[in-house]
């Protein structure tokens, strides 16, 4: 290992300059920090580089640290280890990053660390590619990745764990490359990958994984949160896309993105171990997608997807395109302003045989187009749903009939339901929406409806909430949620049983307050954090946020007079009130 001892008297800082090959076990200490990588550095095979908590490692432009031995960088709760640019005005590609080679990985079991290399409580920022992991396993926990062009790339890996870390302001958070015919690092199967419990904020792409006709096996994207950005989760794409043995995109929360989840082109089933594939090799379950411009984009393939028990609230629901089909959409709650489902493509490439079964589908506002737009394909089934929408609800765009039986449409006669459809009876060149038999009351085997007409009014000492009782026969009670900073992140809950009114002492009309309905399957009703689990288990409804109904004015007792005042509403009208003292 070659050191140069550099002095920067004008800054009052002394840095250890590092370059070349580290040929013996080495520890970078906080006492000698910061370190400066003046030229590319290599941890040799069989060598361990240990980095103490509080160490800062700075990199000259375009330099990198390559690891063929092991790196053990474990910060503490109060002192992260920092890898960063040496520039006083860094950009997101100032230095090359940390390159993990096949001999430098970690041994992991499930989501746990056993031995070998580790990055824990480490901050990596301003890199071209923060951590590049090739042909090995690797363990990353409680790290921060900020302002990198790409934070992490995985390639030909087996046993990578990325957990409980923060990704902010990166162009790409966690990624894989589609193809590479020049570097010598082959693009091949990625297996046993855990991406779990991470937080992604303001990234152009949070998780974007794809390969050209290579397998993903046991890919777990679980329980991550994504807030603000371009696309939160993107899987597949390109001319062909990857092959899939087993991919699980489950229990993530995505808010305020251009696209929540993008399931792009997939070439088909896995090259290896095809006999152990499940019926649905790709599952997208129990995700919550809030206020994204596009909730979910799906390019259907010959591979069967299960998209189940998700909650999508925002402008648009699910858009399905390309060829293939046979996907299952079941038990989802979709509350949107525009279309819940739209099917696009062409006469040659389009999805067919989609099953949309047992969902709650609500249109919150007047739409510019149909709620279900079946532009292409055949064999589609829209069955056993609760559908609450007005205007053009179901449009058949092909000459093929669509099975739309067993649904509740909010109507009680065939004639009134046909007012909601655009099909053969409007254009005999089109197929029929086969709506009979239909339900005349709300189904109880789909997600619960949110309570209706939730209102709040100021009263003495607090806020009174009122709402309409749910029409489902299996509703057993209601909960009132309040103390929110934003996006339904409530801090308090009150279980009010089977009532339709409740007063929150100490609350104000400016507070965000919502009501949910629950059935006998709901649990932990006095625990605020239980709501998400109940909702995704279909035993509690989505939130209905209270709107202000009016004011209650109470003059001081014994004042012997009246209290008068006025208020100006958003539309410019002014209300004057008078109250007698008691």
């Amino acid at each position: 290992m070659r050191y140069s001892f550099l002095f920067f008297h004008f800054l009052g800082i002394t840095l250890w300059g590092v370059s070349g090959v580290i040929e013996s076990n080495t520890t970078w200490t906080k006492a000698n920090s910061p370190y400066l990588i003046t030229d590319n550095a290599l941890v040799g095979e069989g060598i361990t580089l240990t980095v103490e908590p509080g160490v800062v490692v700075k990199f000259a432009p375009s330099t990198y640290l390559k690891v063929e031995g092991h790196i053990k960088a474990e910060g503490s709760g109060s002192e992260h280890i920092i890898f960063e640019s040496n520039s006083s005005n860094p950009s997101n590609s100032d230095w090359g990053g940390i390159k993990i080679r096949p001999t430098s990985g970690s041994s992991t079991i499930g989501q746990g660390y056993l031995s070998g290399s580790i990055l824990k409580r480490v901050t990596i920022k301003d890199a071209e590619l923060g951590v590049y992991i090739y042909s090995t396993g690797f363990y990353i926990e409680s790290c921060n990745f900020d302002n990198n062009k790409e934070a992490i790339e995985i390639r030909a890996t087996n046993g990578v764990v990325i957990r409980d870390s923060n990704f902010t302001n990166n162009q790409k958070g966690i990624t894989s490359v589609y193809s590479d015919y020049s570097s010598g690092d082959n693009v091949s199967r990625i297996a046993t990958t855990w991406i779990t419990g991470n937080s992604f904020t303001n990234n152009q792409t949070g998780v974007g994984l794809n390969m050209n006709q290579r397998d993903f096996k046991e890919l777990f994207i679980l329980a991550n949160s994504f807030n603000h950005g371009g696309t939160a989760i993107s899987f597949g794409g390109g001319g062909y896309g990857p092959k899939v043995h087993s991919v699980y995109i489950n229990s993530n929360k995505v808010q305020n993105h251009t696209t929540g989840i993008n399931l792009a082109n997939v070439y088909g089933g896995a090259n290896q171990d095809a006999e152990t594939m499940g019926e649905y090799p790709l599952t997208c379950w129990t995700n919550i997608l809030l206020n994204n411009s596009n909730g979910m984009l799906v390019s259907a393939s010959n591979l069967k997807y299960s998209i189940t028990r998700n909650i999508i609230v925002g402008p648009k629901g699910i858009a399905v395109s390309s060829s293939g089909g046979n996907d299952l959409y079941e038990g989802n709650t979709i509350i949107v302003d525009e279309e819940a489902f739209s099917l696009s493509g062409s006469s040659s490439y389009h999805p067919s045989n989609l099953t949309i079964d047992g969902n709650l589908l609500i249109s919150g506002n007047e739409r510019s187009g149909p709620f279900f737009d079946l532009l292409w394909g055949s064999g589609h089934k829209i069955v056993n749903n609760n559908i609450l929408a007005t205007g053009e609800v179901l449009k058949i765009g092909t000459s093929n009939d669509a099975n739309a039986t067993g649904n509740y449409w909010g109507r009680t006669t065939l004639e009134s339901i046909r007012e909601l459809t655009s099909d053969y009876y409007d254009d005999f060149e089109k197929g029929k929406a086969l709506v009979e038999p239909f339900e005349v009351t709300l189904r109880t085997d789909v997600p619960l409806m949110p309570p209706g007409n939730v209102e709040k009014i100021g009263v003495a000492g607090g806020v009174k909430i009122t709402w309409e009782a749910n029409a489902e026969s299996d509703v057993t009670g209601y909960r009132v949620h309040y103390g929110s900073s934003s996006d339904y992140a409530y801090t308090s809950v009150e279980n009010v049983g089977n009532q339709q009114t409740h007063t929150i002492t100490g609350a104000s009309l400016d507070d965000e307050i919502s009501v949910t309905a629950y059935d006998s399957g709901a649990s932990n009703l006095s625990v605020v954090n239980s709501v998400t689990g109940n909702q995704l288990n279909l035993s509690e409804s989505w939130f209905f946020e209270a709107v202000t109904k009016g004011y209650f004015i109470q003059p001081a007792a014994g004042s012997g007079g009246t209290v008068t005042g006025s208020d100006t509403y958003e539309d410019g009208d002014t209300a004057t009130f008078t109250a007698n003292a008691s």
Side-chain angles (χ1 to χ4, degrees), residues 385-407:
N385 305 282
N386 283 341
I387 303 171
L388 286 302
T390 58
E392 187 179 29
V393 175
L394 174 57
K395 180 178 181 180
I396 308 295
T398 75
S399 60
N400 302 300
D401 296 344
N403 180 353
T405 60
N407 297 300

Side-chain angles (χ1 to χ4, degrees), residues 329-332 356-360 383-386 445-447 538:
Y329 299 83
E330 183 178 39
N332 301 287
I356 302 169
D357 187 351
N359 304 279
L360 173 64
V383 295
N384 308 322
N385 305 282
N386 283 341
D445 54 354
V446 306
L538 310 188

Side-chain angles (χ1 to χ4, degrees), residues 332-493:
N332 301 287
T333 296
I334 301 179
I335 304 174
V336 291
D337 298 327
E338 294 293 332
E339 64 266 20
F341 283 89
S342 64
L343 275 61
S344 61
S346 68
S347 58
S348 300
Y349 299 98
H350 54 258
S352 293
N353 303 310
L354 302 184
T355 298
I356 302 169
D357 187 351
N359 304 279
L360 173 64
L361 307 161
I362 301 175
S363 175
N365 295 303
E366 293 294 328
R367 302 177 313 282
S368 59
F371 196 44
F372 288 89
D373 192 357
L374 304 186
L375 184 61
W376 299 101
S378 61
H380 300 308
K381 294 191 294 184
I382 304 172
V383 295
N384 308 322
N385 305 282
N386 283 341
I387 303 171
L388 286 302
T390 58
E392 187 179 29
V393 175
L394 174 57
K395 180 178 181 180
I396 308 295
T398 75
S399 60
N400 302 300
D401 296 344
N403 180 353
T405 60
N407 297 300
Y408 174 73
W409 301 85
R411 306 287 180 94
T412 58
T413 66
L414 177 61
E415 291 73 17
S416 62
I417 292 172
R418 282 185 174 162
E419 292 174 358
L420 304 175
T421 64
S422 176
D423 62 350
Y424 169 86
Y425 297 100
D426 303 284
D427 179 355
F428 60 77
E429 300 290 354
K430 306 301 182 184
K432 294 180 181 179
L434 305 175
V435 300
E436 295 183 287
F438 53 84
E439 299 292 324
V440 297
T441 58
L442 285 165
R443 300 185 65 99
T444 59
D445 54 354
V446 306
L448 290 171
M449 282 278 294
N453 293 326
V454 181
E455 297 179 328
K456 56 184 176 180
I457 183 170
V459 297
V463 172
K464 181 180 180 180
I465 310 297
T466 62
W467 59 92
E468 293 180 355
N470 279 45
E472 296 104 320
S473 60
D474 60 338
V475 169
T476 57
Y478 303 89
R479 295 208 291 176
V480 178
H481 309 262
Y482 58 98
S484 169
S485 56
S486 63
D487 295 320
Y488 308 101
Y490 297 104
T491 58
S492 298
V493 65

Side-chain angles (χ1 to χ4, degrees), residues 155 176-181 186-190 209-216 235-244 265-269 271:
R155 186 184 302 194
S176 62
V177 69
Y178 185 71
S179 60
D180 181 352
Y181 301 104
N186 294 328
V187 176
S188 61
R189 166 180 274 207
I190 293 175
L209 298 175
N210 190 17
M211 288 187 290
N212 183 10
Q213 303 176 67
R214 304 296 190 270
D215 296 354
F216 281 92
F235 180 78
Y240 295 99
K243 293 190 172 185
V244 170
N265 294 345
V266 168
Y267 194 70
N271 294 305

